[in-house]
Amino acid sequence: MAQTKSQPPTLLVVGDSLSAAYGIPQETGWVTLLSQRLDSQARVINASISGETTSGGASRLAGLLEKHRPDIVILELGGNDGLRGLPPQQMQANLNSMIEQSLASDAEVLLVGIDIPPNYGQAYREAFGQVFQKLADEYHLPLLPFLLDGVALKPELMQDDGIHPTAEAQPRILDNVWARLTPLLREAGVSPTDAPQAKAYQAEPSS
């Protein structure tokens, strides 16, 4: 829902460690870079928690929607469900609930998918990955199929655990999100092409 120019739209990011800047300085995380790229054109609330599952997110969302009244909700959850081997149907039900709650509050939703390591088995991995596409199709949502596209298979962009990206990877992650987020920003009255680019953490070598 578009806001008046005097009241910038609010973006709510509900995610796990991938959006909570796990293992890196908070100011280098992709959500912080998103806020910087949008400058004063929108307000970005990061409600991401390391270790969060879709169940935890679903239980927290009503309070977050009530408190922040977001125009756009970015849902980035599911990775921890997969790493724990939880049933994909359970993850789908939880994400389904979060999508419906968000839409009922008049927020637009960007669904962000994730992949899990091959050692979980091809059948489970496929069932897991299909959940995001099914929900995007059912609710006609924009979908980013894989948050870490262009990052996950590059060891130099991943922390030692092989799961979490480094600070250097965050601008690429933001670009992945930005490509799917732009249409929603325009609907909310933001002019994405006028937003400054967040390149600082890419351009400046760490000391």
Side-chain angles (χ1 to χ4, degrees):
M1 182 182 298
Q3 298 275 352
T4 61
K5 290 185 178 180
S6 61
Q7 186 180 5
T10 296
L11 280 66
L12 175 66
V13 182
V14 184
D16 51 32
S17 56
L18 299 177
S19 299
Y22 176 88
I24 60 175
Q26 190 70 39
E27 66 271 15
T28 66
W30 75 264
V31 180
T32 300
L33 298 184
L34 171 63
S35 182
Q36 292 174 357
R37 183 177 288 192
L38 287 167
D39 198 16
S40 59
Q41 294 190 85
R43 187 169 67 115
V44 179
I45 305 295
N46 193 357
S48 304
I49 298 176
S50 293
E52 185 75 291
T53 61
T54 57
S55 176
S59 68
R60 288 195 301 128
L61 186 60
L64 292 169
L65 293 173
E66 177 67 26
K67 180 178 180 180
H68 300 294
R69 303 288 183 182
D71 300 271
I72 299 171
V73 175
I74 301 177
L75 291 180
E76 182 276 301
L77 286 172
N80 289 309
D81 295 60
L83 293 176
R84 296 180 186 187
L86 300 177
Q89 312 93 281
Q90 177 183 322
M91 180 179 77
Q92 182 169 339
N94 292 332
L95 287 172
N96 186 89
S97 171
M98 297 181 77
I99 291 167
E100 293 200 345
Q101 288 181 65
S102 299
L103 296 176
S105 72
D106 288 332
E108 299 293 335
V109 175
L110 170 59
L111 188 60
V112 178
I114 195 67
D115 198 1
I116 54 174
N119 58 296
Y120 281 78
Q122 189 62 22
Y124 180 80
R125 193 180 181 194
E126 287 182 1
F128 175 89
Q130 287 169 0
V131 166
F132 300 102
Q133 189 64 60
K134 286 178 183 176
L135 290 170
D137 290 344
E138 180 178 352
Y139 289 98
H140 306 288
L141 303 177
L143 169 68
L144 172 56
F146 184 35
L147 178 66
L148 302 184
D149 183 39
V151 171
L153 297 180
K154 296 182 178 180
E156 69 274 15
L157 294 180
M158 299 297 289
Q159 296 180 41
D160 291 342
D161 61 10
I163 296 175
H164 298 97
T166 63
E168 290 74 22
Q170 302 300 310
R172 172 58 192 260
I173 296 172
L174 172 57
D175 286 343
N176 291 342
V177 174
W178 187 258
R180 299 304 198 284
L181 182 60
T182 297
L184 298 184
L185 290 172
R186 289 202 178 101
E187 287 179 19
V190 176
S191 302
T193 52
D194 298 332
Q197 301 297 297
K199 298 295 185 185
Y201 299 108
Q202 233 174 4
E204 298 176 7
S206 57
S207 53

